[in-house]
Amino acid sequence: MFITFEGGEGSGKTTLIRLIREKLGRTFDIKTTREPGGSKVAEAIRDVLLNPKYEGVTPHAEALLFAAARAQHIDEVILPALRENRIVLCDRYIDSSLAYQGYARGLGFDFILKINRYATENMPDRTFYIDVASEVGIGRISQRKELDRLDQESKAFHHKVRQGYHEVAKMFPDRIRIVDGNRSLDDLAAEILEKIRDLL
Ligand code: Z5A
């Protein structure tokens, strides 16, 4: 079972994955991972993508680098874990590329789907999109960490990302579940856990 978590910055994905892992890990063998990154090579690509010192990355290069990191991550980490019958919980995957590069950057969904077809043919079994207003999410993380190159984008960009996710959810209604992120993390984890248990 390959499950992904999507959302804007500060939507709570990282914390939710940790909470769900704690609970599900009592019964199942869980592998948690993230994008961009998850393996040595993909983490190196992550640095190029997110470190503000690489401010000249063009939109097309950005989209291709995310896809390259994904190609490495899926072959090296996700597929081996699935072959061992582990449940993979992944923080972001292809829907991030659709919402950020396809929609907010304006490269288009077709372009993103096309380049990602070279990266992987594997789609998640289920995706939870944690929906919160972009100002809420950015407000949460700005107190916590140094903002990376994409965090530093304009408010308008982050607002578009959210709109993009809603368009992506319409494209994949069987796979993507929209979860209202304006609740406590414990409530959110309980709801998602119940949905995962139904699936299992
Ligand atoms: N990106 C892309 O453009 N294209 C792609 O294909 C891919 C990624 C794969 C990765 O950033 C960046 O790459 C990301 C998209 C882009 N860019 N931006 N901007 P990252 O991995 O560094 O960060 P992130 O994925 O955006 O996650 P995050 O900022 O760390 O947030 P989070 O994981 O969703 O949330 P969290 O760490 O669990 O929570 C953040 C804080 O909010 C924390 O203090 C929590 O306690 C608090 N929080 C969260 N939810 C709640 C609720 N419900 N109540 C109260 N407090 C909460």
Side-chain angles (χ1 to χ4, degrees), residues 48-74:
V48 174
L49 279 162
L50 300 185
N51 193 322
K53 78 179 177 192
Y54 299 118
E55 60 179 19
V57 182
T58 68
H60 285 92
E62 182 180 277
L64 288 160
L65 283 166
F66 276 115
R70 185 161 300 128
Q72 184 74 32
H73 184 216
I74 189 97

mmCIF file with all atom_site columns, all heavy atoms in Angstrom, residues 48-74:
data_model
loop_
_atom_site.group_PDB
_atom_site.id
_atom_site.type_symbol
_atom_site.label_atom_id
_atom_site.label_alt_id
_atom_site.label_comp_id
_atom_site.label_asym_id
_atom_site.label_entity_id
_atom_site.label_seq_id
_atom_site.pdbx_PDB_ins_code
_atom_site.Cartn_x
_atom_site.Cartn_y
_atom_site.Cartn_z
_atom_site.occupancy
_atom_site.B_iso_or_equiv
_atom_site.pdbx_formal_charge
_atom_site.auth_seq_id
_atom_site.auth_comp_id
_atom_site.auth_asym_id
_atom_site.auth_atom_id
_atom_site.pdbx_PDB_model_num
ATOM 1   N N   . VAL A 1 48 ? 19.552 21.351 -4.201  1.00 0.00 ? 48 VAL A N   1
ATOM 2   C CA  . VAL A 1 48 ? 19.564 22.271 -5.355  1.00 0.00 ? 48 VAL A CA  1
ATOM 3   C C   . VAL A 1 48 ? 18.193 22.938 -5.507  1.00 0.00 ? 48 VAL A C   1
ATOM 4   O O   . VAL A 1 48 ? 18.083 24.125 -5.810  1.00 0.00 ? 48 VAL A O   1
ATOM 5   C CB  . VAL A 1 48 ? 19.931 21.503 -6.656  1.00 0.00 ? 48 VAL A CB  1
ATOM 6   C CG1 . VAL A 1 48 ? 19.811 22.420 -7.874  1.00 0.00 ? 48 VAL A CG1 1
ATOM 7   C CG2 . VAL A 1 48 ? 21.326 20.917 -6.559  1.00 0.00 ? 48 VAL A CG2 1
ATOM 8   N N   . LEU A 1 49 ? 17.147 22.175 -5.260  1.00 0.00 ? 49 LEU A N   1
ATOM 9   C CA  . LEU A 1 49 ? 15.788 22.707 -5.461  1.00 0.00 ? 49 LEU A CA  1
ATOM 10  C C   . LEU A 1 49 ? 15.375 23.714 -4.389  1.00 0.00 ? 49 LEU A C   1
ATOM 11  O O   . LEU A 1 49 ? 14.679 24.685 -4.683  1.00 0.00 ? 49 LEU A O   1
ATOM 12  C CB  . LEU A 1 49 ? 14.784 21.549 -5.470  1.00 0.00 ? 49 LEU A CB  1
ATOM 13  C CG  . LEU A 1 49 ? 14.688 20.814 -6.803  1.00 0.00 ? 49 LEU A CG  1
ATOM 14  C CD1 . LEU A 1 49 ? 14.041 19.448 -6.620  1.00 0.00 ? 49 LEU A CD1 1
ATOM 15  C CD2 . LEU A 1 49 ? 13.904 21.649 -7.804  1.00 0.00 ? 49 LEU A CD2 1
ATOM 16  N N   . LEU A 1 50 ? 15.781 23.483 -3.147  1.00 0.00 ? 50 LEU A N   1
ATOM 17  C CA  . LEU A 1 50 ? 15.214 24.282 -2.050  1.00 0.00 ? 50 LEU A CA  1
ATOM 18  C C   . LEU A 1 50 ? 16.163 25.308 -1.449  1.00 0.00 ? 50 LEU A C   1
ATOM 19  O O   . LEU A 1 50 ? 15.711 26.281 -0.839  1.00 0.00 ? 50 LEU A O   1
ATOM 20  C CB  . LEU A 1 50 ? 14.696 23.352 -0.939  1.00 0.00 ? 50 LEU A CB  1
ATOM 21  C CG  . LEU A 1 50 ? 13.596 22.369 -1.353  1.00 0.00 ? 50 LEU A CG  1
ATOM 22  C CD1 . LEU A 1 50 ? 13.086 21.602 -0.132  1.00 0.00 ? 50 LEU A CD1 1
ATOM 23  C CD2 . LEU A 1 50 ? 12.425 23.077 -2.036  1.00 0.00 ? 50 LEU A CD2 1
ATOM 24  N N   . ASN A 1 51 ? 17.475 25.099 -1.634  1.00 0.00 ? 51 ASN A N   1
ATOM 25  C CA  . ASN A 1 51 ? 18.412 26.052 -1.032  1.00 0.00 ? 51 ASN A CA  1
ATOM 26  C C   . ASN A 1 51 ? 18.300 27.409 -1.730  1.00 0.00 ? 51 ASN A C   1
ATOM 27  O O   . ASN A 1 51 ? 18.465 27.502 -2.951  1.00 0.00 ? 51 ASN A O   1
ATOM 28  C CB  . ASN A 1 51 ? 19.833 25.486 -1.196  1.00 0.00 ? 51 ASN A CB  1
ATOM 29  C CG  . ASN A 1 51 ? 20.816 26.227 -0.345  1.00 0.00 ? 51 ASN A CG  1
ATOM 30  O OD1 . ASN A 1 51 ? 20.722 27.446 -0.198  1.00 0.00 ? 51 ASN A OD1 1
ATOM 31  N ND2 . ASN A 1 51 ? 21.753 25.495 0.235   1.00 0.00 ? 51 ASN A ND2 1
ATOM 32  N N   . PRO A 1 52 ? 17.999 28.485 -0.955  1.00 0.00 ? 52 PRO A N   1
ATOM 33  C CA  . PRO A 1 52 ? 17.814 29.799 -1.583  1.00 0.00 ? 52 PRO A CA  1
ATOM 34  C C   . PRO A 1 52 ? 19.035 30.290 -2.366  1.00 0.00 ? 52 PRO A C   1
ATOM 35  O O   . PRO A 1 52 ? 18.913 31.175 -3.207  1.00 0.00 ? 52 PRO A O   1
ATOM 36  C CB  . PRO A 1 52 ? 17.542 30.725 -0.387  1.00 0.00 ? 52 PRO A CB  1
ATOM 37  C CG  . PRO A 1 52 ? 17.093 29.829 0.708   1.00 0.00 ? 52 PRO A CG  1
ATOM 38  C CD  . PRO A 1 52 ? 17.785 28.511 0.492   1.00 0.00 ? 52 PRO A CD  1
ATOM 39  N N   . LYS A 1 53 ? 20.212 29.666 -2.138  1.00 0.00 ? 53 LYS A N   1
ATOM 40  C CA  . LYS A 1 53 ? 21.384 30.143 -2.889  1.00 0.00 ? 53 LYS A CA  1
ATOM 41  C C   . LYS A 1 53 ? 21.269 29.808 -4.389  1.00 0.00 ? 53 LYS A C   1
ATOM 42  O O   . LYS A 1 53 ? 21.916 30.434 -5.212  1.00 0.00 ? 53 LYS A O   1
ATOM 43  C CB  . LYS A 1 53 ? 22.680 29.604 -2.284  1.00 0.00 ? 53 LYS A CB  1
ATOM 44  C CG  . LYS A 1 53 ? 23.031 28.178 -2.605  1.00 0.00 ? 53 LYS A CG  1
ATOM 45  C CD  . LYS A 1 53 ? 24.350 27.776 -1.950  1.00 0.00 ? 53 LYS A CD  1
ATOM 46  C CE  . LYS A 1 53 ? 24.645 26.323 -2.231  1.00 0.00 ? 53 LYS A CE  1
ATOM 47  N NZ  . LYS A 1 53 ? 25.701 25.728 -1.483  1.00 0.00 ? 53 LYS A NZ  1
ATOM 48  N N   . TYR A 1 54 ? 20.417 28.823 -4.735  1.00 0.00 ? 54 TYR A N   1
ATOM 49  C CA  . TYR A 1 54 ? 20.218 28.497 -6.166  1.00 0.00 ? 54 TYR A CA  1
ATOM 50  C C   . TYR A 1 54 ? 19.000 29.243 -6.697  1.00 0.00 ? 54 TYR A C   1
ATOM 51  O O   . TYR A 1 54 ? 18.027 28.633 -7.154  1.00 0.00 ? 54 TYR A O   1
ATOM 52  C CB  . TYR A 1 54 ? 20.039 26.987 -6.353  1.00 0.00 ? 54 TYR A CB  1
ATOM 53  C CG  . TYR A 1 54 ? 21.239 26.187 -5.899  1.00 0.00 ? 54 TYR A CG  1
ATOM 54  C CD1 . TYR A 1 54 ? 21.136 25.269 -4.864  1.00 0.00 ? 54 TYR A CD1 1
ATOM 55  C CD2 . TYR A 1 54 ? 22.487 26.347 -6.507  1.00 0.00 ? 54 TYR A CD2 1
ATOM 56  C CE1 . TYR A 1 54 ? 22.238 24.540 -4.434  1.00 0.00 ? 54 TYR A CE1 1
ATOM 57  C CE2 . TYR A 1 54 ? 23.589 25.625 -6.077  1.00 0.00 ? 54 TYR A CE2 1
ATOM 58  C CZ  . TYR A 1 54 ? 23.453 24.729 -5.044  1.00 0.00 ? 54 TYR A CZ  1
ATOM 59  O OH  . TYR A 1 54 ? 24.545 24.007 -4.625  1.00 0.00 ? 54 TYR A OH  1
ATOM 60  N N   . GLU A 1 55 ? 19.074 30.558 -6.653  1.00 0.00 ? 55 GLU A N   1
ATOM 61  C CA  . GLU A 1 55 ? 17.862 31.329 -6.980  1.00 0.00 ? 55 GLU A CA  1
ATOM 62  C C   . GLU A 1 55 ? 17.542 31.350 -8.470  1.00 0.00 ? 55 GLU A C   1
ATOM 63  O O   . GLU A 1 55 ? 16.452 31.734 -8.853  1.00 0.00 ? 55 GLU A O   1
ATOM 64  C CB  . GLU A 1 55 ? 17.993 32.755 -6.429  1.00 0.00 ? 55 GLU A CB  1
ATOM 65  C CG  . GLU A 1 55 ? 19.176 33.494 -7.016  1.00 0.00 ? 55 GLU A CG  1
ATOM 66  C CD  . GLU A 1 55 ? 19.291 34.924 -6.472  1.00 0.00 ? 55 GLU A CD  1
ATOM 67  O OE1 . GLU A 1 55 ? 18.706 35.221 -5.418  1.00 0.00 ? 55 GLU A OE1 1
ATOM 68  O OE2 . GLU A 1 55 ? 19.987 35.711 -7.119  1.00 0.00 ? 55 GLU A OE2 1
ATOM 69  N N   . GLY A 1 56 ? 18.469 30.907 -9.323  1.00 0.00 ? 56 GLY A N   1
ATOM 70  C CA  . GLY A 1 56 ? 18.217 31.025 -10.770 1.00 0.00 ? 56 GLY A CA  1
ATOM 71  C C   . GLY A 1 56 ? 17.557 29.816 -11.408 1.00 0.00 ? 56 GLY A C   1
ATOM 72  O O   . GLY A 1 56 ? 17.478 29.748 -12.644 1.00 0.00 ? 56 GLY A O   1
ATOM 73  N N   . VAL A 1 57 ? 17.076 28.861 -10.631 1.00 0.00 ? 57 VAL A N   1
ATOM 74  C CA  . VAL A 1 57 ? 16.477 27.657 -11.234 1.00 0.00 ? 57 VAL A CA  1
ATOM 75  C C   . VAL A 1 57 ? 15.262 28.061 -12.072 1.00 0.00 ? 57 VAL A C   1
ATOM 76  O O   . VAL A 1 57 ? 14.361 28.743 -11.578 1.00 0.00 ? 57 VAL A O   1
ATOM 77  C CB  . VAL A 1 57 ? 16.024 26.656 -10.138 1.00 0.00 ? 57 VAL A CB  1
ATOM 78  C CG1 . VAL A 1 57 ? 15.449 25.390 -10.754 1.00 0.00 ? 57 VAL A CG1 1
ATOM 79  C CG2 . VAL A 1 57 ? 17.173 26.315 -9.203  1.00 0.00 ? 57 VAL A CG2 1
ATOM 80  N N   . THR A 1 58 ? 15.231 27.659 -13.331 1.00 0.00 ? 58 THR A N   1
ATOM 81  C CA  . THR A 1 58 ? 14.102 28.033 -14.200 1.00 0.00 ? 58 THR A CA  1
ATOM 82  C C   . THR A 1 58 ? 12.921 27.095 -13.936 1.00 0.00 ? 58 THR A C   1
ATOM 83  O O   . THR A 1 58 ? 13.119 25.974 -13.434 1.00 0.00 ? 58 THR A O   1
ATOM 84  C CB  . THR A 1 58 ? 14.483 27.934 -15.690 1.00 0.00 ? 58 THR A CB  1
ATOM 85  O OG1 . THR A 1 58 ? 14.685 26.545 -15.996 1.00 0.00 ? 58 THR A OG1 1
ATOM 86  C CG2 . THR A 1 58 ? 15.743 28.736 -16.009 1.00 0.00 ? 58 THR A CG2 1
ATOM 87  N N   . PRO A 1 59 ? 11.695 27.504 -14.260 1.00 0.00 ? 59 PRO A N   1
ATOM 88  C CA  . PRO A 1 59 ? 10.534 26.640 -14.001 1.00 0.00 ? 59 PRO A CA  1
ATOM 89  C C   . PRO A 1 59 ? 10.653 25.249 -14.626 1.00 0.00 ? 59 PRO A C   1
ATOM 90  O O   . PRO A 1 59 ? 10.339 24.248 -13.981 1.00 0.00 ? 59 PRO A O   1
ATOM 91  C CB  . PRO A 1 59 ? 9.375  27.428 -14.606 1.00 0.00 ? 59 PRO A CB  1
ATOM 92  C CG  . PRO A 1 59 ? 9.805  28.853 -14.478 1.00 0.00 ? 59 PRO A CG  1
ATOM 93  C CD  . PRO A 1 59 ? 11.292 28.850 -14.721 1.00 0.00 ? 59 PRO A CD  1
ATOM 94  N N   . HIS A 1 60 ? 11.143 25.171 -15.885 1.00 0.00 ? 60 HIS A N   1
ATOM 95  C CA  . HIS A 1 60 ? 11.242 23.852 -16.521 1.00 0.00 ? 60 HIS A CA  1
ATOM 96  C C   . HIS A 1 60 ? 12.312 22.992 -15.848 1.00 0.00 ? 60 HIS A C   1
ATOM 97  O O   . HIS A 1 60 ? 12.115 21.792 -15.620 1.00 0.00 ? 60 HIS A O   1
ATOM 98  C CB  . HIS A 1 60 ? 11.523 23.987 -18.018 1.00 0.00 ? 60 HIS A CB  1
ATOM 99  C CG  . HIS A 1 60 ? 10.323 24.415 -18.790 1.00 0.00 ? 60 HIS A CG  1
ATOM 100 N ND1 . HIS A 1 60 ? 10.049 25.732 -19.055 1.00 0.00 ? 60 HIS A ND1 1
ATOM 101 C CD2 . HIS A 1 60 ? 9.296  23.700 -19.308 1.00 0.00 ? 60 HIS A CD2 1
ATOM 102 C CE1 . HIS A 1 60 ? 8.906  25.810 -19.718 1.00 0.00 ? 60 HIS A CE1 1
ATOM 103 N NE2 . HIS A 1 60 ? 8.417  24.596 -19.886 1.00 0.00 ? 60 HIS A NE2 1
ATOM 104 N N   . ALA A 1 61 ? 13.452 23.632 -15.520 1.00 0.00 ? 61 ALA A N   1
ATOM 105 C CA  . ALA A 1 61 ? 14.510 22.881 -14.834 1.00 0.00 ? 61 ALA A CA  1
ATOM 106 C C   . ALA A 1 61 ? 13.999 22.400 -13.471 1.00 0.00 ? 61 ALA A C   1
ATOM 107 O O   . ALA A 1 61 ? 14.263 21.260 -13.060 1.00 0.00 ? 61 ALA A O   1
ATOM 108 C CB  . ALA A 1 61 ? 15.747 23.759 -14.657 1.00 0.00 ? 61 ALA A CB  1
ATOM 109 N N   . GLU A 1 62 ? 13.252 23.259 -12.794 1.00 0.00 ? 62 GLU A N   1
ATOM 110 C CA  . GLU A 1 62 ? 12.696 22.895 -11.478 1.00 0.00 ? 62 GLU A CA  1
ATOM 111 C C   . GLU A 1 62 ? 11.806 21.648 -11.601 1.00 0.00 ? 62 GLU A C   1
ATOM 112 O O   . GLU A 1 62 ? 11.959 20.674 -10.856 1.00 0.00 ? 62 GLU A O   1
ATOM 113 C CB  . GLU A 1 62 ? 11.894 24.081 -10.954 1.00 0.00 ? 62 GLU A CB  1
ATOM 114 C CG  . GLU A 1 62 ? 11.291 23.873 -9.582  1.00 0.00 ? 62 GLU A CG  1
ATOM 115 C CD  . GLU A 1 62 ? 10.506 25.107 -9.134  1.00 0.00 ? 62 GLU A CD  1
ATOM 116 O OE1 . GLU A 1 62 ? 11.127 26.046 -8.618  1.00 0.00 ? 62 GLU A OE1 1
ATOM 117 O OE2 . GLU A 1 62 ? 9.272  25.125 -9.323  1.00 0.00 ? 62 GLU A OE2 1
ATOM 118 N N   . ALA A 1 63 ? 10.897 21.678 -12.570 1.00 0.00 ? 63 ALA A N   1
ATOM 119 C CA  . ALA A 1 63 ? 9.968  20.545 -12.738 1.00 0.00 ? 63 ALA A CA  1
ATOM 120 C C   . ALA A 1 63 ? 10.731 19.260 -13.076 1.00 0.00 ? 63 ALA A C   1
ATOM 121 O O   . ALA A 1 63 ? 10.412 18.174 -12.560 1.00 0.00 ? 63 ALA A O   1
ATOM 122 C CB  . ALA A 1 63 ? 8.958  20.869 -13.839 1.00 0.00 ? 63 ALA A CB  1
ATOM 123 N N   . LEU A 1 64 ? 11.776 19.397 -13.926 1.00 0.00 ? 64 LEU A N   1
ATOM 124 C CA  . LEU A 1 64 ? 12.545 18.208 -14.315 1.00 0.00 ? 64 LEU A CA  1
ATOM 125 C C   . LEU A 1 64 ? 13.377 17.683 -13.138 1.00 0.00 ? 64 LEU A C   1
ATOM 126 O O   . LEU A 1 64 ? 13.533 16.465 -12.979 1.00 0.00 ? 64 LEU A O   1
ATOM 127 C CB  . LEU A 1 64 ? 13.449 18.545 -15.512 1.00 0.00 ? 64 LEU A CB  1
ATOM 128 C CG  . LEU A 1 64 ? 12.683 18.728 -16.837 1.00 0.00 ? 64 LEU A CG  1
ATOM 129 C CD1 . LEU A 1 64 ? 13.514 19.511 -17.846 1.00 0.00 ? 64 LEU A CD1 1
ATOM 130 C CD2 . LEU A 1 64 ? 12.267 17.375 -17.414 1.00 0.00 ? 64 LEU A CD2 1
ATOM 131 N N   . LEU A 1 65 ? 13.882 18.591 -12.315 1.00 0.00 ? 65 LEU A N   1
ATOM 132 C CA  . LEU A 1 65 ? 14.652 18.146 -11.143 1.00 0.00 ? 65 LEU A CA  1
ATOM 133 C C   . LEU A 1 65 ? 13.759 17.421 -10.139 1.00 0.00 ? 65 LEU A C   1
ATOM 134 O O   . LEU A 1 65 ? 14.154 16.405 -9.558  1.00 0.00 ? 65 LEU A O   1
ATOM 135 C CB  . LEU A 1 65 ? 15.349 19.341 -10.479 1.00 0.00 ? 65 LEU A CB  1
ATOM 136 C CG  . LEU A 1 65 ? 16.602 19.855 -11.195 1.00 0.00 ? 65 LEU A CG  1
ATOM 137 C CD1 . LEU A 1 65 ? 17.016 21.220 -10.657 1.00 0.00 ? 65 LEU A CD1 1
ATOM 138 C CD2 . LEU A 1 65 ? 17.751 18.855 -11.038 1.00 0.00 ? 65 LEU A CD2 1
ATOM 139 N N   . PHE A 1 66 ? 12.538 17.928 -9.925  1.00 0.00 ? 66 PHE A N   1
ATOM 140 C CA  . PHE A 1 66 ? 11.613 17.207 -9.038  1.00 0.00 ? 66 PHE A CA  1
ATOM 141 C C   . PHE A 1 66 ? 11.337 15.809 -9.602  1.00 0.00 ? 66 PHE A C   1
ATOM 142 O O   . PHE A 1 66 ? 11.279 14.833 -8.851  1.00 0.00 ? 66 PHE A O   1
ATOM 143 C CB  . PHE A 1 66 ? 10.299 17.981 -8.859  1.00 0.00 ? 66 PHE A CB  1
ATOM 144 C CG  . PHE A 1 66 ? 10.348 19.047 -7.802  1.00 0.00 ? 66 PHE A CG  1
ATOM 145 C CD1 . PHE A 1 66 ? 10.211 20.386 -8.130  1.00 0.00 ? 66 PHE A CD1 1
ATOM 146 C CD2 . PHE A 1 66 ? 10.525 18.722 -6.455  1.00 0.00 ? 66 PHE A CD2 1
ATOM 147 C CE1 . PHE A 1 66 ? 10.255 21.379 -7.142  1.00 0.00 ? 66 PHE A CE1 1
ATOM 148 C CE2 . PHE A 1 66 ? 10.573 19.697 -5.468  1.00 0.00 ? 66 PHE A CE2 1
ATOM 149 C CZ  . PHE A 1 66 ? 10.435 21.032 -5.815  1.00 0.00 ? 66 PHE A CZ  1
ATOM 150 N N   . ALA A 1 67 ? 11.157 15.733 -10.920 1.00 0.00 ? 67 ALA A N   1
ATOM 151 C CA  . ALA A 1 67 ? 10.886 14.425 -11.533 1.00 0.00 ? 67 ALA A CA  1
ATOM 152 C C   . ALA A 1 67 ? 12.107 13.515 -11.424 1.00 0.00 ? 67 ALA A C   1
ATOM 153 O O   . ALA A 1 67 ? 11.975 12.300 -11.187 1.00 0.00 ? 67 ALA A O   1
ATOM 154 C CB  . ALA A 1 67 ? 10.476 14.618 -12.999 1.00 0.00 ? 67 ALA A CB  1
ATOM 155 N N   . ALA A 1 68 ? 13.310 14.087 -11.569 1.00 0.00 ? 68 ALA A N   1
ATOM 156 C CA  . ALA A 1 68 ? 14.542 13.280 -11.462 1.00 0.00 ? 68 ALA A CA  1
ATOM 157 C C   . ALA A 1 68 ? 14.680 12.723 -10.035 1.00 0.00 ? 68 ALA A C   1
ATOM 158 O O   . ALA A 1 68 ? 15.002 11.543 -9.842  1.00 0.00 ? 68 ALA A O   1
ATOM 159 C CB  . ALA A 1 68 ? 15.756 14.130 -11.826 1.00 0.00 ? 68 ALA A CB  1
ATOM 160 N N   . ALA A 1 69 ? 14.434 13.585 -9.047  1.00 0.00 ? 69 ALA A N   1
ATOM 161 C CA  . ALA A 1 69 ? 14.512 13.125 -7.649  1.00 0.00 ? 69 ALA A CA  1
ATOM 162 C C   . ALA A 1 69 ? 13.503 12.002 -7.425  1.00 0.00 ? 69 ALA A C   1
ATOM 163 O O   . ALA A 1 69 ? 13.768 11.011 -6.744  1.00 0.00 ? 69 ALA A O   1
ATOM 164 C CB  . ALA A 1 69 ? 14.246 14.293 -6.696  1.00 0.00 ? 69 ALA A CB  1
ATOM 165 N N   . ARG A 1 70 ? 12.323 12.152 -8.032  1.00 0.00 ? 70 ARG A N   1
ATOM 166 C CA  . ARG A 1 70 ? 11.254 11.137 -7.884  1.00 0.00 ? 70 ARG A CA  1
ATOM 167 C C   . ARG A 1 70 ? 11.680 9.806  -8.524  1.00 0.00 ? 70 ARG A C   1
ATOM 168 O O   . ARG A 1 70 ? 11.432 8.731  -7.965  1.00 0.00 ? 70 ARG A O   1
ATOM 169 C CB  . ARG A 1 70 ? 9.982  11.681 -8.534  1.00 0.00 ? 70 ARG A CB  1
ATOM 170 C CG  . ARG A 1 70 ? 8.745  10.807 -8.375  1.00 0.00 ? 70 ARG A CG  1
ATOM 171 C CD  . ARG A 1 70 ? 7.492  11.638 -8.631  1.00 0.00 ? 70 ARG A CD  1
ATOM 172 N NE  . ARG A 1 70 ? 7.416  12.739 -7.690  1.00 0.00 ? 70 ARG A NE  1
ATOM 173 C CZ  . ARG A 1 70 ? 7.235  14.026 -8.047  1.00 0.00 ? 70 ARG A CZ  1
ATOM 174 N NH1 . ARG A 1 70 ? 7.067  14.360 -9.307  1.00 0.00 ? 70 ARG A NH1 1
ATOM 175 N NH2 . ARG A 1 70 ? 7.223  14.977 -7.132  1.00 0.00 ? 70 ARG A NH2 1
ATOM 176 N N   . ALA A 1 71 ? 12.307 9.884  -9.703  1.00 0.00 ? 71 ALA A N   1
ATOM 177 C CA  . ALA A 1 71 ? 12.738 8.652  -10.392 1.00 0.00 ? 71 ALA A CA  1
ATOM 178 C C   . ALA A 1 71 ? 13.700 7.864  -9.494  1.00 0.00 ? 71 ALA A C   1
ATOM 179 O O   . ALA A 1 71 ? 13.612 6.634  -9.382  1.00 0.00 ? 71 ALA A O   1
ATOM 180 C CB  . ALA A 1 71 ? 13.409 9.015  -11.722 1.00 0.00 ? 71 ALA A CB  1
ATOM 181 N N   . GLN A 1 72 ? 14.630 8.582  -8.870  1.00 0.00 ? 72 GLN A N   1
ATOM 182 C CA  . GLN A 1 72 ? 15.605 7.935  -7.989  1.00 0.00 ? 72 GLN A CA  1
ATOM 183 C C   . GLN A 1 72 ? 14.917 7.358  -6.746  1.00 0.00 ? 72 GLN A C   1
ATOM 184 O O   . GLN A 1 72 ? 15.152 6.228  -6.346  1.00 0.00 ? 72 GLN A O   1
ATOM 185 C CB  . GLN A 1 72 ? 16.646 8.993  -7.562  1.00 0.00 ? 72 GLN A CB  1
ATOM 186 C CG  . GLN A 1 72 ? 17.764 8.449  -6.733  1.00 0.00 ? 72 GLN A CG  1
ATOM 187 C CD  . GLN A 1 72 ? 18.762 7.632  -7.537  1.00 0.00 ? 72 GLN A CD  1
ATOM 188 O OE1 . GLN A 1 72 ? 18.991 7.918  -8.706  1.00 0.00 ? 72 GLN A OE1 1
ATOM 189 N NE2 . GLN A 1 72 ? 19.338 6.612  -6.915  1.00 0.00 ? 72 GLN A NE2 1
ATOM 190 N N   . HIS A 1 73 ? 14.029 8.158  -6.172  1.00 0.00 ? 73 HIS A N   1
ATOM 191 C CA  . HIS A 1 73 ? 13.356 7.801  -4.913  1.00 0.00 ? 73 HIS A CA  1
ATOM 192 C C   . HIS A 1 73 ? 12.468 6.576  -5.091  1.00 0.00 ? 73 HIS A C   1
ATOM 193 O O   . HIS A 1 73 ? 12.458 5.661  -4.260  1.00 0.00 ? 73 HIS A O   1
ATOM 194 C CB  . HIS A 1 73 ? 12.537 9.035  -4.490  1.00 0.00 ? 73 HIS A CB  1
ATOM 195 C CG  . HIS A 1 73 ? 11.842 8.902  -3.182  1.00 0.00 ? 73 HIS A CG  1
ATOM 196 N ND1 . HIS A 1 73 ? 10.606 9.442  -2.945  1.00 0.00 ? 73 HIS A ND1 1
ATOM 197 C CD2 . HIS A 1 73 ? 12.193 8.287  -2.018  1.00 0.00 ? 73 HIS A CD2 1
ATOM 198 C CE1 . HIS A 1 73 ? 10.245 9.186  -1.706  1.00 0.00 ? 73 HIS A CE1 1
ATOM 199 N NE2 . HIS A 1 73 ? 11.177 8.488  -1.123  1.00 0.00 ? 73 HIS A NE2 1
ATOM 200 N N   . ILE A 1 74 ? 11.731 6.547  -6.203  1.00 0.00 ? 74 ILE A N   1
ATOM 201 C CA  . ILE A 1 74 ? 10.796 5.426  -6.389  1.00 0.00 ? 74 ILE A CA  1
ATOM 202 C C   . ILE A 1 74 ? 11.573 4.122  -6.565  1.00 0.00 ? 74 ILE A C   1
ATOM 203 O O   . ILE A 1 74 ? 11.235 3.096  -5.973  1.00 0.00 ? 74 ILE A O   1
ATOM 204 C CB  . ILE A 1 74 ? 9.800  5.689  -7.557  1.00 0.00 ? 74 ILE A CB  1
ATOM 205 C CG1 . ILE A 1 74 ? 8.709  4.625  -7.600  1.00 0.00 ? 74 ILE A CG1 1
ATOM 206 C CG2 . ILE A 1 74 ? 10.458 5.754  -8.909  1.00 0.00 ? 74 ILE A CG2 1
ATOM 207 C CD1 . ILE A 1 74 ? 7.447  5.003  -6.945  1.00 0.00 ? 74 ILE A CD1 1
#
